[in-house]
Amino acid sequence: MIKIDQLSKVFQTSNQSIQAVDHIDLQINKGEIFGMIGYSGAGKSTFIRLINRLEEPSAGSVLIDDQDITKLSKRDLRISRQEIGMIFQHFNLLWSRTVRENIAFPLEIAGLSKTERSERVDQLIQLVGLTGREDAYPAQLSGGQKQRVGIARALANNPKVLLCDEATSALDPETTDSILSLLVDINEKLGLTIILITHEMHVIQKICHNVAVMEDGRIVEQGSVLDVFSHPKQPVTKKFVEQVMGKPDNEVADDIFIQQVNSGKVLKLQFIGESTNQAFISQVAKKYDVELNILQGNIKQTQAGAYGSLYIQVTGTDEVVSQAIAYMDSTSIEVEVVAND
Amino acid sequence: MTDLFPNVDWPDLMIATGETFYMTIVALIGALILGLLLGLLLYLTSPGGLWQNKYIHIITATFVNVFRAIPFAILIFLLFPVTIFLFGTFRGTTPAIPALIVGTAPFYGRLVEIALREIDKGVVEAAQAMGAKTSTIIFKVLLKESIPALVSGLTVTSIALVGYTAIAGMIGAGGLGDYAYFYGFTRRNFDIVFVCTVLIVIIVFIFQFIGDWMTKRLDKR
């Protein structure tokens, strides 16, 4: 478990001081994928670099499994860092080394013998899916492959936690998805705690369990991804949710397509953490003698299940329609009647 | 050949060529070692560097700048006491070497510093994040990653050195400059001057060719 207490960083320039990270308190559970989102300049990059002390904190503490990173001597810090993997936006691979040699580098630092290194590198290459590219130089790899090398390198010494500093921001959307699924895969396989920072909400939506929103060095909102998605409180959070979900639902309700519906009822089905599938709709159609027409929907899959809303038109006799609505209401799906005929 | 260059003594010319090679290569090794030390010191002690230290940085930078500012022809005379103390004479190829090293090492040191600055800071940071010691970072990251630039810098330095051996030749250091000056210029045997010039140009081309070839092979970018 990682416990961050009153963590602060002040940058001193000649004529002013900048509070990049402002008294952050945070608790990250073992095996969790934790996302920190914020616009550039919010301090998230400084925040993640404080965790392994690439940046020296001005105040506060970082406890990883009860060991206070901020109190360690230089020598102990070096040893602790071998248990904290880190991947970077621009990969930061060694150009003069092949894929194998890059992955072996942290093992050399940890003092493993040549045969041990070679064995471990083979495992890692397989884990990140780089078989066949072992002897290529970074210049010969695509961005996604470079990041896979970065991930293998970060995992080499079996770290307790993996820090991801905008790990997908330099990649195209398709490659981003493949790297994200690799991270989820690793998280599940190895039970590894992952802390990532990003400015892209879909990264949070796809892989994180919990999220914190950062603005001006402070955490302005945090919670489970579903909670933050379904009830964003701060304006900045709402903006991030819109990145993925489009415009807010209350605006959708006023849309022309709803006004033009002239028979039956329009329902808004809100899915929060539901294992959404089409069976739900067909169940309703089978059970009740109603016509269901899907008008519009926006459902995203998150780590904790689906989140989003679906607008449907229900037609039938008043009695059957209200029975159907009552049934839908009895499930965990929230039902709201948006328009009547 | 004898008709075209009546005054050239070919065996002597071969010896002179060998002397030029000898001085250039030995001084190059000296400049490489001293230059690497100076370049690393400049880079590591600079603001934000791993051994950030204002005073050592200023002292090193001043040393480098002063010795780069002194023209080589004057530097040789300045180092006369040192040369005579070390070798008992200032004549000959070996006594010329300290001056050649002192004349080129600061220049190479600056090239080393530039090569190190070219390395992405993120790579150094990645090594730190893995828990690397400073010595590991110096040898396995900084020097290793900058090898292509270090070699091309060494090529430039070797060519400057060939020129400096010719200057040293004029005060009796031996080599092609010596031969061209004493046997050619002072005796009005301009065929000797011409042949020596051609040989020096060929030597420069050889160094350039080898340097370019090595840089290309080593560069994995």
Side-chain angles (χ1 to χ4, degrees), chain B residues 54-95:
Chain B
K54 216 186 199 164
Y55 301 103
I56 296 179
H57 186 74
I58 289 171
I59 291 166
T60 317
T62 311
F63 174 83
V64 165
N65 290 344
V66 166
F67 278 92
R68 278 189 60 199
I70 302 171
F72 185 69
I74 295 168
L75 184 72
I76 303 177
F77 297 125
L78 273 178
L79 289 179
F80 259 18
V82 181
T83 312
I84 288 169
F85 171 77
L86 286 173
F87 302 99
T89 173
F90 64 85
R91 293 192 178 276
T93 48
T94 307

mmCIF file of all heavy atoms in Angstrom, chain B residues 54-95:
data_model
loop_
_atom_site.group_PDB
_atom_site.id
_atom_site.type_symbol
_atom_site.label_atom_id
_atom_site.label_comp_id
_atom_site.label_asym_id
_atom_site.label_seq_id
_atom_site.Cartn_x
_atom_site.Cartn_y
_atom_site.Cartn_z
ATOM 1 N N LYS B 54 29.626 24.826 -8.511
ATOM 2 C CA LYS B 54 29.942 26.094 -9.170
ATOM 3 C C LYS B 54 31.450 26.303 -9.294
ATOM 4 O O LYS B 54 31.958 26.660 -10.351
ATOM 5 C CB LYS B 54 29.338 27.203 -8.316
ATOM 6 C CG LYS B 54 28.791 28.375 -9.116
ATOM 7 C CD LYS B 54 28.402 29.376 -8.112
ATOM 8 C CE LYS B 54 27.501 30.463 -8.336
ATOM 9 N NZ LYS B 54 27.027 31.050 -7.092
ATOM 10 N N TYR B 55 32.173 26.054 -8.186
ATOM 11 C CA TYR B 55 33.603 26.408 -8.163
ATOM 12 C C TYR B 55 34.429 25.516 -9.080
ATOM 13 O O TYR B 55 35.222 26.009 -9.893
ATOM 14 C CB TYR B 55 34.116 26.372 -6.724
ATOM 15 C CG TYR B 55 33.330 27.338 -5.860
ATOM 16 C CD1 TYR B 55 32.348 26.888 -4.988
ATOM 17 C CD2 TYR B 55 33.523 28.719 -5.998
ATOM 18 C CE1 TYR B 55 31.588 27.774 -4.252
ATOM 19 C CE2 TYR B 55 32.775 29.618 -5.259
ATOM 20 C CZ TYR B 55 31.810 29.141 -4.383
ATOM 21 O OH TYR B 55 31.051 30.025 -3.667
ATOM 22 N N ILE B 56 34.223 24.200 -8.951
ATOM 23 C CA ILE B 56 34.977 23.292 -9.821
ATOM 24 C C ILE B 56 34.641 23.572 -11.279
ATOM 25 O O ILE B 56 35.518 23.539 -12.150
ATOM 26 C CB ILE B 56 34.678 21.818 -9.444
ATOM 27 C CG1 ILE B 56 35.183 21.545 -8.022
ATOM 28 C CG2 ILE B 56 35.337 20.862 -10.433
ATOM 29 C CD1 ILE B 56 34.940 20.142 -7.531
ATOM 30 N N HIS B 57 33.371 23.892 -11.531
ATOM 31 C CA HIS B 57 32.970 24.170 -12.907
ATOM 32 C C HIS B 57 33.700 25.396 -13.449
ATOM 33 O O HIS B 57 34.241 25.372 -14.561
ATOM 34 C CB HIS B 57 31.455 24.383 -12.980
ATOM 35 C CG HIS B 57 30.961 24.526 -14.388
ATOM 36 N ND1 HIS B 57 30.859 23.459 -15.249
ATOM 37 C CD2 HIS B 57 30.566 25.607 -15.089
ATOM 38 C CE1 HIS B 57 30.421 23.875 -16.413
ATOM 39 N NE2 HIS B 57 30.229 25.172 -16.360
ATOM 40 N N ILE B 58 33.740 26.443 -12.648
ATOM 41 C CA ILE B 58 34.388 27.685 -13.105
ATOM 42 C C ILE B 58 35.894 27.450 -13.312
ATOM 43 O O ILE B 58 36.462 27.881 -14.316
ATOM 44 C CB ILE B 58 34.134 28.838 -12.102
ATOM 45 C CG1 ILE B 58 32.661 29.258 -12.209
ATOM 46 C CG2 ILE B 58 35.046 30.028 -12.389
ATOM 47 C CD1 ILE B 58 32.216 30.231 -11.137
ATOM 48 N N ILE B 59 36.516 26.729 -12.373
ATOM 49 C CA ILE B 59 37.962 26.466 -12.498
ATOM 50 C C ILE B 59 38.251 25.656 -13.769
ATOM 51 O O ILE B 59 39.128 26.012 -14.561
ATOM 52 C CB ILE B 59 38.485 25.723 -11.233
ATOM 53 C CG1 ILE B 59 38.440 26.658 -10.025
ATOM 54 C CG2 ILE B 59 39.903 25.200 -11.463
ATOM 55 C CD1 ILE B 59 38.609 25.952 -8.685
ATOM 56 N N THR B 60 37.467 24.592 -13.979
ATOM 57 C CA THR B 60 37.677 23.765 -15.164
ATOM 58 C C THR B 60 37.438 24.564 -16.440
ATOM 59 O O THR B 60 38.228 24.500 -17.389
ATOM 60 C CB THR B 60 36.732 22.546 -15.149
ATOM 61 O OG1 THR B 60 36.698 22.004 -13.841
ATOM 62 C CG2 THR B 60 37.176 21.484 -16.123
ATOM 63 N N ALA B 61 36.346 25.310 -16.454
ATOM 64 C CA ALA B 61 36.005 26.084 -17.645
ATOM 65 C C ALA B 61 37.091 27.121 -17.945
ATOM 66 O O ALA B 61 37.468 27.331 -19.107
ATOM 67 C CB ALA B 61 34.652 26.758 -17.463
ATOM 68 N N THR B 62 37.620 27.742 -16.890
ATOM 69 C CA THR B 62 38.671 28.740 -17.094
ATOM 70 C C THR B 62 39.926 28.086 -17.670
ATOM 71 O O THR B 62 40.514 28.589 -18.635
ATOM 72 C CB THR B 62 39.019 29.432 -15.756
ATOM 73 O OG1 THR B 62 37.805 29.852 -15.144
ATOM 74 C CG2 THR B 62 39.934 30.621 -15.975
ATOM 75 N N PHE B 63 40.329 26.962 -17.085
ATOM 76 C CA PHE B 63 41.490 26.226 -17.582
ATOM 77 C C PHE B 63 41.321 25.917 -19.074
ATOM 78 O O PHE B 63 42.206 26.194 -19.886
ATOM 79 C CB PHE B 63 41.636 24.924 -16.768
ATOM 80 C CG PHE B 63 42.698 24.011 -17.272
ATOM 81 C CD1 PHE B 63 44.030 24.210 -16.903
ATOM 82 C CD2 PHE B 63 42.390 22.952 -18.107
ATOM 83 C CE1 PHE B 63 45.021 23.370 -17.375
ATOM 84 C CE2 PHE B 63 43.386 22.104 -18.584
ATOM 85 C CZ PHE B 63 44.703 22.320 -18.215
ATOM 86 N N VAL B 64 40.155 25.372 -19.418
ATOM 87 C CA VAL B 64 39.900 24.994 -20.809
ATOM 88 C C VAL B 64 39.944 26.228 -21.714
ATOM 89 O O VAL B 64 40.593 26.221 -22.769
ATOM 90 C CB VAL B 64 38.531 24.281 -20.904
ATOM 91 C CG1 VAL B 64 38.056 24.186 -22.345
ATOM 92 C CG2 VAL B 64 38.627 22.887 -20.288
ATOM 93 N N ASN B 65 39.295 27.275 -21.280
ATOM 94 C CA ASN B 65 39.224 28.469 -22.129
ATOM 95 C C ASN B 65 40.600 29.108 -22.326
ATOM 96 O O ASN B 65 40.933 29.533 -23.433
ATOM 97 C CB ASN B 65 38.262 29.494 -21.528
ATOM 98 C CG ASN B 65 36.828 29.018 -21.614
ATOM 99 O OD1 ASN B 65 36.523 28.094 -22.369
ATOM 100 N ND2 ASN B 65 35.950 29.621 -20.831
ATOM 101 N N VAL B 66 41.387 29.162 -21.251
ATOM 102 C CA VAL B 66 42.710 29.781 -21.351
ATOM 103 C C VAL B 66 43.584 28.992 -22.324
ATOM 104 O O VAL B 66 44.181 29.550 -23.242
ATOM 105 C CB VAL B 66 43.373 29.878 -19.959
ATOM 106 C CG1 VAL B 66 44.862 30.188 -20.091
ATOM 107 C CG2 VAL B 66 42.684 30.942 -19.125
ATOM 108 N N PHE B 67 43.616 27.668 -22.156
ATOM 109 C CA PHE B 67 44.499 26.886 -23.018
ATOM 110 C C PHE B 67 44.000 26.804 -24.450
ATOM 111 O O PHE B 67 44.791 26.591 -25.367
ATOM 112 C CB PHE B 67 44.751 25.504 -22.422
ATOM 113 C CG PHE B 67 45.828 25.547 -21.381
ATOM 114 C CD1 PHE B 67 45.517 25.748 -20.043
ATOM 115 C CD2 PHE B 67 47.166 25.468 -21.750
ATOM 116 C CE1 PHE B 67 46.507 25.828 -19.088
ATOM 117 C CE2 PHE B 67 48.173 25.556 -20.802
ATOM 118 C CZ PHE B 67 47.850 25.739 -19.461
ATOM 119 N N ARG B 68 42.687 26.989 -24.638
ATOM 120 C CA ARG B 68 42.202 27.038 -26.016
ATOM 121 C C ARG B 68 42.519 28.373 -26.662
ATOM 122 O O ARG B 68 42.620 28.475 -27.875
ATOM 123 C CB ARG B 68 40.685 26.788 -26.068
ATOM 124 C CG ARG B 68 40.363 25.317 -26.018
ATOM 125 C CD ARG B 68 38.915 25.090 -26.288
ATOM 126 N NE ARG B 68 38.539 25.592 -27.615
ATOM 127 C CZ ARG B 68 37.301 25.859 -27.968
ATOM 128 N NH1 ARG B 68 36.323 25.698 -27.121
ATOM 129 N NH2 ARG B 68 37.042 26.294 -29.187
ATOM 130 N N ALA B 69 42.673 29.393 -25.825
ATOM 131 C CA ALA B 69 42.899 30.732 -26.370
ATOM 132 C C ALA B 69 44.358 30.922 -26.809
ATOM 133 O O ALA B 69 44.632 31.727 -27.699
ATOM 134 C CB ALA B 69 42.517 31.780 -25.328
ATOM 135 N N ILE B 70 45.280 30.190 -26.192
ATOM 136 C CA ILE B 70 46.696 30.383 -26.522
ATOM 137 C C ILE B 70 47.007 29.731 -27.874
ATOM 138 O O ILE B 70 46.774 28.537 -28.045
ATOM 139 C CB ILE B 70 47.597 29.758 -25.426
ATOM 140 C CG1 ILE B 70 47.271 30.372 -24.069
ATOM 141 C CG2 ILE B 70 49.082 29.941 -25.776
ATOM 142 C CD1 ILE B 70 47.954 29.680 -22.908
ATOM 143 N N PRO B 71 47.535 30.495 -28.821
ATOM 144 C CA PRO B 71 47.889 29.890 -30.110
ATOM 145 C C PRO B 71 48.941 28.803 -29.901
ATOM 146 O O PRO B 71 49.835 28.961 -29.059
ATOM 147 C CB PRO B 71 48.466 31.059 -30.905
ATOM 148 C CG PRO B 71 47.952 32.279 -30.228
ATOM 149 C CD PRO B 71 47.800 31.930 -28.791
ATOM 150 N N PHE B 72 48.851 27.741 -30.673
ATOM 151 C CA PHE B 72 49.727 26.596 -30.430
ATOM 152 C C PHE B 72 51.202 26.964 -30.573
ATOM 153 O O PHE B 72 52.040 26.522 -29.783
ATOM 154 C CB PHE B 72 49.367 25.434 -31.363
ATOM 155 C CG PHE B 72 50.158 24.200 -31.058
ATOM 156 C CD1 PHE B 72 49.936 23.503 -29.890
ATOM 157 C CD2 PHE B 72 51.161 23.772 -31.923
ATOM 158 C CE1 PHE B 72 50.678 22.380 -29.585
ATOM 159 C CE2 PHE B 72 51.910 22.640 -31.612
ATOM 160 C CZ PHE B 72 51.668 21.947 -30.452
ATOM 161 N N ALA B 73 51.509 27.806 -31.561
ATOM 162 C CA ALA B 73 52.911 28.179 -31.790
ATOM 163 C C ALA B 73 53.507 28.842 -30.551
ATOM 164 O O ALA B 73 54.696 28.718 -30.278
ATOM 165 C CB ALA B 73 53.006 29.119 -32.988
ATOM 166 N N ILE B 74 52.667 29.552 -29.792
ATOM 167 C CA ILE B 74 53.152 30.210 -28.578
ATOM 168 C C ILE B 74 53.148 29.232 -27.408
ATOM 169 O O ILE B 74 54.049 29.244 -26.568
ATOM 170 C CB ILE B 74 52.283 31.455 -28.285
ATOM 171 C CG1 ILE B 74 52.476 32.470 -29.415
ATOM 172 C CG2 ILE B 74 52.637 32.069 -26.929
ATOM 173 C CD1 ILE B 74 51.496 33.596 -29.417
ATOM 174 N N LEU B 75 52.153 28.361 -27.384
ATOM 175 C CA LEU B 75 52.046 27.370 -26.305
ATOM 176 C C LEU B 75 53.300 26.506 -26.215
ATOM 177 O O LEU B 75 53.786 26.206 -25.121
ATOM 178 C CB LEU B 75 50.816 26.488 -26.541
ATOM 179 C CG LEU B 75 50.516 25.469 -25.445
ATOM 180 C CD1 LEU B 75 49.978 26.153 -24.197
ATOM 181 C CD2 LEU B 75 49.514 24.426 -25.922
ATOM 182 N N ILE B 76 53.871 26.151 -27.386
ATOM 183 C CA ILE B 76 55.086 25.325 -27.392
ATOM 184 C C ILE B 76 56.201 26.035 -26.620
ATOM 185 O O ILE B 76 56.866 25.440 -25.772
ATOM 186 C CB ILE B 76 55.590 25.068 -28.829
ATOM 187 C CG1 ILE B 76 54.519 24.408 -29.670
ATOM 188 C CG2 ILE B 76 56.833 24.183 -28.800
ATOM 189 C CD1 ILE B 76 54.966 24.206 -31.113
ATOM 190 N N PHE B 77 56.354 27.331 -26.905
ATOM 191 C CA PHE B 77 57.416 28.092 -26.220
ATOM 192 C C PHE B 77 57.127 28.210 -24.732
ATOM 193 O O PHE B 77 58.018 28.097 -23.906
ATOM 194 C CB PHE B 77 57.583 29.475 -26.846
ATOM 195 C CG PHE B 77 58.013 29.403 -28.286
ATOM 196 C CD1 PHE B 77 57.293 30.039 -29.288
ATOM 197 C CD2 PHE B 77 59.133 28.659 -28.645
ATOM 198 C CE1 PHE B 77 57.686 29.942 -30.604
ATOM 199 C CE2 PHE B 77 59.535 28.569 -29.979
ATOM 200 C CZ PHE B 77 58.811 29.219 -30.960
ATOM 201 N N LEU B 78 55.839 28.426 -24.409
ATOM 202 C CA LEU B 78 55.464 28.543 -22.996
ATOM 203 C C LEU B 78 55.804 27.267 -22.221
ATOM 204 O O LEU B 78 56.169 27.327 -21.052
ATOM 205 C CB LEU B 78 53.961 28.803 -22.876
ATOM 206 C CG LEU B 78 53.487 30.246 -22.930
ATOM 207 C CD1 LEU B 78 51.972 30.279 -22.842
ATOM 208 C CD2 LEU B 78 54.096 31.053 -21.792
ATOM 209 N N LEU B 79 55.673 26.138 -22.904
ATOM 210 C CA LEU B 79 55.893 24.862 -22.218
ATOM 211 C C LEU B 79 57.357 24.404 -22.265
ATOM 212 O O LEU B 79 57.675 23.331 -21.765
ATOM 213 C CB LEU B 79 54.982 23.779 -22.818
ATOM 214 C CG LEU B 79 53.491 23.912 -22.500
ATOM 215 C CD1 LEU B 79 52.702 22.785 -23.165
ATOM 216 C CD2 LEU B 79 53.234 23.890 -20.992
ATOM 217 N N PHE B 80 58.220 25.226 -22.841
ATOM 218 C CA PHE B 80 59.639 24.862 -22.912
ATOM 219 C C PHE B 80 60.217 24.406 -21.568
ATOM 220 O O PHE B 80 60.841 23.344 -21.498
ATOM 221 C CB PHE B 80 60.469 26.046 -23.454
ATOM 222 C CG PHE B 80 60.817 25.891 -24.907
ATOM 223 C CD1 PHE B 80 60.121 25.005 -25.716
ATOM 224 C CD2 PHE B 80 61.854 26.624 -25.463
ATOM 225 C CE1 PHE B 80 60.433 24.865 -27.058
ATOM 226 C CE2 PHE B 80 62.175 26.483 -26.807
ATOM 227 C CZ PHE B 80 61.459 25.606 -27.608
ATOM 228 N N PRO B 81 60.015 25.183 -20.491
ATOM 229 C CA PRO B 81 60.594 24.757 -19.202
ATOM 230 C C PRO B 81 60.119 23.359 -18.793
ATOM 231 O O PRO B 81 60.911 22.542 -18.333
ATOM 232 C CB PRO B 81 60.083 25.810 -18.221
ATOM 233 C CG PRO B 81 59.727 26.976 -19.052
ATOM 234 C CD PRO B 81 59.308 26.468 -20.380
ATOM 235 N N VAL B 82 58.834 23.100 -18.991
ATOM 236 C CA VAL B 82 58.276 21.794 -18.623
ATOM 237 C C VAL B 82 58.912 20.702 -19.484
ATOM 238 O O VAL B 82 59.347 19.662 -18.985
ATOM 239 C CB VAL B 82 56.741 21.787 -18.814
ATOM 240 C CG1 VAL B 82 56.161 20.440 -18.413
ATOM 241 C CG2 VAL B 82 56.110 22.916 -18.026
ATOM 242 N N THR B 83 58.983 20.965 -20.770
ATOM 243 C CA THR B 83 59.533 19.971 -21.700
ATOM 244 C C THR B 83 60.983 19.655 -21.356
ATOM 245 O O THR B 83 61.381 18.490 -21.308
ATOM 246 C CB THR B 83 59.454 20.523 -23.142
ATOM 247 O OG1 THR B 83 58.158 21.044 -23.364
ATOM 248 C CG2 THR B 83 59.744 19.435 -24.157
ATOM 249 N N ILE B 84 61.751 20.706 -21.104
ATOM 250 C CA ILE B 84 63.176 20.503 -20.801
ATOM 251 C C ILE B 84 63.343 19.799 -19.467
ATOM 252 O O ILE B 84 64.163 18.901 -19.320
ATOM 253 C CB ILE B 84 63.937 21.856 -20.856
ATOM 254 C CG1 ILE B 84 64.028 22.280 -22.320
ATOM 255 C CG2 ILE B 84 65.330 21.742 -20.235
ATOM 256 C CD1 ILE B 84 64.498 23.688 -22.544
ATOM 257 N N PHE B 85 62.458 20.156 -18.492
ATOM 258 C CA PHE B 85 62.504 19.477 -17.202
ATOM 259 C C PHE B 85 62.237 17.971 -17.370
ATOM 260 O O PHE B 85 62.902 17.133 -16.769
ATOM 261 C CB PHE B 85 61.481 20.095 -16.246
ATOM 262 C CG PHE B 85 61.308 19.340 -14.969
ATOM 263 C CD1 PHE B 85 62.255 19.449 -13.948
ATOM 264 C CD2 PHE B 85 60.221 18.495 -14.770
ATOM 265 C CE1 PHE B 85 62.098 18.738 -12.775
ATOM 266 C CE2 PHE B 85 60.069 17.791 -13.601
ATOM 267 C CZ PHE B 85 61.023 17.918 -12.588
ATOM 268 N N LEU B 86 61.261 17.647 -18.223
ATOM 269 C CA LEU B 86 60.872 16.245 -18.391
ATOM 270 C C LEU B 86 61.856 15.451 -19.235
ATOM 271 O O LEU B 86 62.158 14.306 -18.936
ATOM 272 C CB LEU B 86 59.475 16.158 -19.028
ATOM 273 C CG LEU B 86 58.275 16.509 -18.149
ATOM 274 C CD1 LEU B 86 57.001 16.531 -18.983
ATOM 275 C CD2 LEU B 86 58.126 15.494 -17.019
ATOM 276 N N PHE B 87 62.338 16.055 -20.316
ATOM 277 C CA PHE B 87 63.111 15.270 -21.306
ATOM 278 C C PHE B 87 64.550 15.761 -21.462
ATOM 279 O O PHE B 87 65.330 15.141 -22.177
ATOM 280 C CB PHE B 87 62.418 15.318 -22.670
ATOM 281 C CG PHE B 87 61.008 14.810 -22.630
ATOM 282 C CD1 PHE B 87 59.936 15.696 -22.570
ATOM 283 C CD2 PHE B 87 60.746 13.446 -22.627
ATOM 284 C CE1 PHE B 87 58.633 15.220 -22.518
ATOM 285 C CE2 PHE B 87 59.445 12.974 -22.584
ATOM 286 C CZ PHE B 87 58.388 13.867 -22.515
ATOM 287 N N GLY B 88 64.907 16.888 -20.879
ATOM 288 C CA GLY B 88 66.258 17.425 -21.006
ATOM 289 C C GLY B 88 66.494 18.158 -22.316
ATOM 290 O O GLY B 88 67.526 18.801 -22.502
ATOM 291 N N THR B 89 65.560 18.074 -23.229
ATOM 292 C CA THR B 89 65.691 18.770 -24.508
ATOM 293 C C THR B 89 64.296 19.097 -25.030
ATOM 294 O O THR B 89 63.306 18.528 -24.561
ATOM 295 C CB THR B 89 66.421 17.904 -25.548
ATOM 296 O OG1 THR B 89 66.380 18.571 -26.818
ATOM 297 C CG2 THR B 89 65.766 16.536 -25.706
ATOM 298 N N PHE B 90 64.205 20.004 -25.983
ATOM 299 C CA PHE B 90 62.900 20.253 -26.604
ATOM 300 C C PHE B 90 62.881 19.707 -28.030
ATOM 301 O O PHE B 90 61.914 19.839 -28.745
ATOM 302 C CB PHE B 90 62.533 21.736 -26.563
ATOM 303 C CG PHE B 90 63.448 22.613 -27.340
ATOM 304 C CD1 PHE B 90 63.240 22.807 -28.716
ATOM 305 C CD2 PHE B 90 64.523 23.256 -26.731
ATOM 306 C CE1 PHE B 90 64.086 23.616 -29.442
ATOM 307 C CE2 PHE B 90 65.360 24.065 -27.458
ATOM 308 C CZ PHE B 90 65.158 24.247 -28.821
ATOM 309 N N ARG B 91 63.984 19.120 -28.458
ATOM 310 C CA ARG B 91 64.033 18.588 -29.828
ATOM 311 C C ARG B 91 63.574 17.124 -29.845
ATOM 312 O O ARG B 91 63.755 16.398 -28.880
ATOM 313 C CB ARG B 91 65.451 18.683 -30.373
ATOM 314 C CG ARG B 91 65.884 20.108 -30.564
ATOM 315 C CD ARG B 91 67.151 20.217 -31.375
ATOM 316 N NE ARG B 91 67.460 21.623 -31.557
ATOM 317 C CZ ARG B 91 66.907 22.355 -32.523
ATOM 318 N NH1 ARG B 91 66.079 21.808 -33.385
ATOM 319 N NH2 ARG B 91 67.199 23.634 -32.622
ATOM 320 N N GLY B 92 62.973 16.713 -30.940
ATOM 321 C CA GLY B 92 62.570 15.315 -31.093
ATOM 322 C C GLY B 92 61.071 15.134 -30.936
ATOM 323 O O GLY B 92 60.347 16.047 -30.493
ATOM 324 N N THR B 93 60.637 13.941 -31.327
ATOM 325 C CA THR B 93 59.188 13.698 -31.384
ATOM 326 C C THR B 93 58.580 13.582 -29.980
ATOM 327 O O THR B 93 57.542 14.179 -29.708
ATOM 328 C CB THR B 93 58.898 12.394 -32.153
ATOM 329 O OG1 THR B 93 59.767 11.379 -31.640
ATOM 330 C CG2 THR B 93 59.147 12.562 -33.631
ATOM 331 N N THR B 94 59.223 12.832 -29.092
ATOM 332 C CA THR B 94 58.613 12.608 -27.777
ATOM 333 C C THR B 94 58.510 13.907 -26.967
ATOM 334 O O THR B 94 57.454 14.169 -26.376
ATOM 335 C CB THR B 94 59.371 11.515 -27.003
ATOM 336 O OG1 THR B 94 59.451 10.358 -27.849
ATOM 337 C CG2 THR B 94 58.664 11.152 -25.713
ATOM 338 N N PRO B 95 59.543 14.741 -26.907
ATOM 339 C CA PRO B 95 59.381 15.999 -26.168
ATOM 340 C C PRO B 95 58.256 16.892 -26.711
ATOM 341 O O PRO B 95 57.753 17.762 -25.988
ATOM 342 C CB PRO B 95 60.743 16.673 -26.338
ATOM 343 C CG PRO B 95 61.681 15.554 -26.543
ATOM 344 C CD PRO B 95 60.930 14.545 -27.358
#
